[in-house]
Amino acid sequence: MDIVFSKWVFAFSLSCCLIFSIALSVEGLHGNSKVRGVNLGGWLVIEGWIKPSLFDGIRNGDMLVQIKSVTLEKYVCAESGGGTDVSVTRDVASSWETFSVRCLPNLFLFNLVSAYDDLHFLFIQLWRVSESEFQFRTSQGQFLTCDGEGCVVSATAKSPSTPETFEIERNNDSRVHIKLKSGTYLQATLGNQLTSDYPGMPGWDDNAATFEMAIVANNLHGDYQLANGYGHERAKERHRNTFITIEDFNFLYRHGINTVRIPVGWWIAFDPDPPAPFIGGSLEALDNALSWAEAYNIKCIIDLHAAPGSQNGMEHSASRDGTTDWPASDYISQTLDVIDFLASRYAKHPALLGIELLNEPSAATVPLDILVPYYKQGYQIVRKYSPTAYVIVCQRIGNADPLELYQANIGLHNIVVDLHYYNLFDTFFVNMSTVDNILFIYKSREAQLQALNNANGPLVFIGEWVNEWNVTSGTQKDYQDFGGAQLEVYNAASFGWAYWTLKNDRKHWDFEWNIRNNYLQLVSFKKRWQVAFINIL
């Protein structure tokens, strides 16, 4: 009896909490409103999985590969993460000899663990110079180098130039040749070295200059890969002018959306001529977006999604090769300059609601003692131009507690912490049923939001969430209940929520598809707590 009574109390308390949350409002929005938003993801910052066809015209997409000498039947590797000669010594293709090609044809990122390095991953990034020319860089920062014919290839150069530039020739199958700009081919010697002294021009038979490159998987597709793969003019023709238009703002307005979160890349501050290979035009597009938003009484959050050097090594931070270099002081300084540019340009715009200082910094590679000072400096920069614009700081992704930002004293006024809630990307959710997923929303997510709302700190923003899960046989009603549960619980967030994304080739990630096909119902936050109540009992 006590158990049943406690469940009734939980359901009643939950409903009261949700009803109370609706009364809260966000300064700058009309009426007693909080953010009911949608992300314009995949537009000014490219994410290949959102619209894969963008990359259809680029040969040799991102790869995970293994490279093997056909004569020695051994795999190419660089010992101890670089700093020594390259060898051809591994007998079995394991994680030690697996090369992660992240950004072709822009570059290959080779991930390799040396047996002599206590399972420490070695990254060799193949940087694209032209369609056939590349430079190899290790995780320790050295480049593969060869001074000319007869040299032993080593991973010892600190910066790339002609001796660090190689050409890759491909056969119709998995076989490749690697040669110097002078035309001399590399070969795997009987002494297990990689040298530049193969005599003449090799065929595609079994010879010392021929290697097998096995593709294991394809991965990274972002702005860097798109622009470097197509070249400036062809990349400029694609996507940006047609993906989001004023009609999309009309659609959002008609369906009760009052805010858009707009991801931008750091190169926007250099528009119209950003550093290569990035292309101009994103600043004009952002200007248009704020004008369209103003016309439809929609507010905008400008979100710095991609920082110089990449804050998480992912395609949506425009990483060149999968590494995270942002914590370096030079990159942080450049990022603050970008925030200054955005704040100075848009602080007085009537459609601006806030500026997000950085999207999804990685907990594994961005230390808190570096991130918090950056957030504090970014807050002060925005305040220099606006006393009221919201300053939004994103929780680190990975193993990080959102309370770490509540305890950081980043700013005094209109500060918001952004959390991203997905019932995906973690083995914890893999075998969950429809009911399990919905109960997780009501029990775990609602409890966390309530604790954060009561923490007497920044406002809470669910800046990304989606009506998708790992349930493979969900019905339309299942999706309606799952989406409804999220809408109702996330509305408890003191700042509000924003769906990821407006448009997406994966239909359940696509806000517009969900609305048009009645998989997501935005109907005054129907009392879906009864669903949780019934399931708990």
Side-chain angles (χ1 to χ4, degrees):
M1 180 65 183
D2 290 342
I3 295 175
V4 173
F5 177 74
S6 66
K7 292 174 179 176
W8 276 86
V9 170
F10 170 80
F12 177 76
S13 300
L14 176 60
S15 65
C16 290
C17 174
L18 294 170
I19 293 170
F20 172 75
S21 71
I22 296 174
L24 300 176
S25 63
V26 169
E27 178 184 340
L29 293 175
H30 293 275
N32 292 324
S33 300
K34 293 189 291 186
V35 169
R36 290 164 59 105
V38 171
N39 284 271
L40 304 186
W43 182 34
L44 304 186
V45 175
I46 298 295
E47 300 185 39
W49 67 275
I50 291 178
K51 194 172 182 62
S53 60
L54 284 174
F55 292 83
D56 285 350
I58 299 176
R59 291 186 58 226
N60 305 312
D62 308 342
M63 303 179 194
L64 186 73
V65 303
Q66 298 160 342
I67 298 178
K68 179 182 181 181
S69 165
V70 298
T71 53
L72 299 182
E73 295 188 347
K74 293 182 183 293
Y75 291 86
V76 176
C77 62
E79 309 292 351
S80 303
T84 61
D85 291 344
V86 173
S87 65
V88 189
T89 55
R90 298 292 183 263
D91 293 311
V92 179
S94 65
S95 60
W96 300 353
E97 292 78 36
T98 299
F99 298 84
S100 175
V101 183
R102 296 286 187 185
C103 307
L104 269 194
N106 323 329
L107 59 148
F108 301 104
L109 168 62
F110 294 158
N111 289 345
L112 148 72
V113 179
S114 168
Y116 300 116
D117 201 26
D118 194 24
L119 298 184
H120 172 69
F121 273 95
L122 165 67
F123 296 92
I124 304 180
Q125 304 143 11
L126 185 52
W127 289 8
R128 184 182 188 272
V129 177
S130 67
E131 185 173 348
S132 60
E133 292 178 327
F134 301 86
Q135 296 162 338
F136 297 77
R137 179 179 179 270
T138 74
S139 63
Q140 303 302 316
Q142 298 100 337
F143 288 82
L144 269 62
T145 184
C146 182
D147 289 330
E149 185 175 351
C151 80
V152 176
V153 178
S154 65
T156 56
K158 293 183 179 180
S159 61
S161 60
T162 300
E164 290 74 47
T165 302
F166 301 87
E167 182 176 344
I168 295 179
E169 296 179 345
R170 305 173 190 276
N171 196 17
N172 292 329
D173 56 19
S174 61
R175 295 197 168 195
V176 299
H177 296 149
I178 305 171
K179 67 179 181 179
L180 306 182
K181 289 178 68 66
S182 64
T184 303
Y185 288 85
L186 305 188
Q187 68 169 333
T189 70
L190 295 177
N192 301 106
Q193 292 180 313
L194 191 64
T195 62
S196 61
D197 54 2
Y198 185 82
M201 180 177 295
W204 294 107
D205 58 341
D206 290 355
N207 60 72
T210 300
F211 301 85
E212 290 181 349
M213 186 170 72
I215 300 172
V216 180
N218 293 349
N219 291 310
L220 209 65
H221 298 80
D223 279 274
Y224 194 98
Q225 293 74 44
L226 186 77
N228 206 26
Y230 282 117
H232 185 273
E233 291 305 317
R234 286 192 63 196
K236 195 171 183 178
E237 295 171 358
R238 303 178 71 86
H239 184 62
R240 184 175 294 157
N241 294 333
T242 57
F243 191 62
I244 299 294
T245 69
I246 192 171
E247 292 305 316
D248 296 306
F249 285 79
N250 180 294
F251 172 83
L252 294 172
Y253 171 78
R254 288 187 288 106
H255 289 87
I257 295 303
N258 62 20
T259 306
V260 289
R261 179 173 178 256
I262 308 176
V264 300
W266 62 268
W267 54 93
I268 194 172
F270 299 87
D271 218 82
D273 297 307
F278 299 102
I279 58 174
S282 58
L283 185 61
E284 180 184 2
L286 184 59
D287 287 344
N288 289 338
L290 269 78
S291 296
W292 299 336
E294 183 182 6
Y296 284 100
N297 204 21
I298 291 173
K299 294 294 184 179
C300 297
I301 295 168
I302 301 175
D303 156 44
L304 184 57
H305 219 70
S310 176
Q311 72 275 17
N312 54 36
M314 298 181 184
E315 64 184 24
H316 59 71
S317 62
S319 175
R320 178 175 186 174
D321 50 31
T323 56
T324 304
D325 296 326
W326 180 81
S329 59
D330 286 349
Y331 286 132
I332 292 175
S333 178
Q334 292 174 33
T335 308
L336 291 169
D337 289 342
V338 175
I339 296 300
D340 190 284
F341 171 83
L342 294 170
S344 64
R345 186 179 183 91
Y346 296 109
K348 305 303 181 184
H349 197 291
L352 183 73
L353 183 64
I355 293 177
E356 185 153 358
L357 301 179
L358 192 65
N359 177 71
E360 293 188 347
S362 168
T365 53
V366 178
L368 191 63
D369 61 359
I370 289 178
L371 181 64
V372 168
Y374 163 75
Y375 278 159
K376 289 182 177 181
Q377 289 177 275
Y379 174 86
Q380 294 300 329
I381 289 173
V382 176
R383 286 288 163 264
K384 182 171 65 174
Y385 298 101
S386 171
T388 58
Y390 286 92
V391 180
I392 303 168
V393 296
C394 191
Q395 177 192 8
R396 294 188 297 167
I397 56 172
N399 187 19
D401 185 344
L403 278 173
E404 67 187 19
L405 296 181
Y406 280 77
Q407 300 162 352
N409 298 316
I410 292 167
L412 298 176
H413 180 61
N414 282 3
I415 189 83
V416 180
V417 170
D418 179 7
L419 312 180
H420 296 172
Y421 279 165
Y422 293 98
N423 282 29
L424 296 159
F425 312 127
D426 193 308
T427 55
F428 177 80
F429 298 108
V430 169
N431 295 316
M432 277 190 175
S433 66
T434 297
V435 171
D436 292 335
N437 276 278
I438 293 174
L439 285 180
F440 180 82
I441 299 297
Y442 282 111
K443 287 184 175 181
S444 298
R445 296 264 167 77
E446 194 272 340
Q448 184 181 61
L449 284 176
Q450 193 170 27
L452 295 175
N453 283 335
N454 295 334
N456 194 30
L459 297 173
V460 186
F461 179 39
I462 310 305
E464 293 184 17
W465 66 278
V466 69
N467 196 28
E468 184 61 296
W469 47 11
N470 289 310
V471 176
T472 57
S473 57
T475 65
Q476 183 183 46
K477 181 63 165 54
D478 291 335
Y479 276 97
Q480 289 173 348
D481 288 341
F482 180 56
Q486 292 187 90
L487 281 168
E488 199 156 21
V489 169
Y490 300 165
N491 190 53
S494 51
F495 190 72
W497 50 262
Y499 190 92
W500 184 270
T501 58
L502 174 61
K503 297 181 178 181
N504 198 308
D505 281 4
R506 300 185 187 187
K507 59 186 181 181
H508 290 293
W509 291 75
D510 185 307
F511 178 80
E512 185 174 356
W513 183 91
N514 275 274
I515 296 299
R516 294 191 188 281
N517 291 278
N518 200 31
Y519 275 71
L520 188 65
Q521 299 174 322
L522 303 177
V523 284
S524 302
F525 299 104
K526 292 170 64 176
K527 297 296 183 290
R528 290 187 178 271
W529 58 269
Q530 291 100 327
V531 174
F533 171 73
I534 292 170
N535 287 329
I536 291 169
L537 293 179

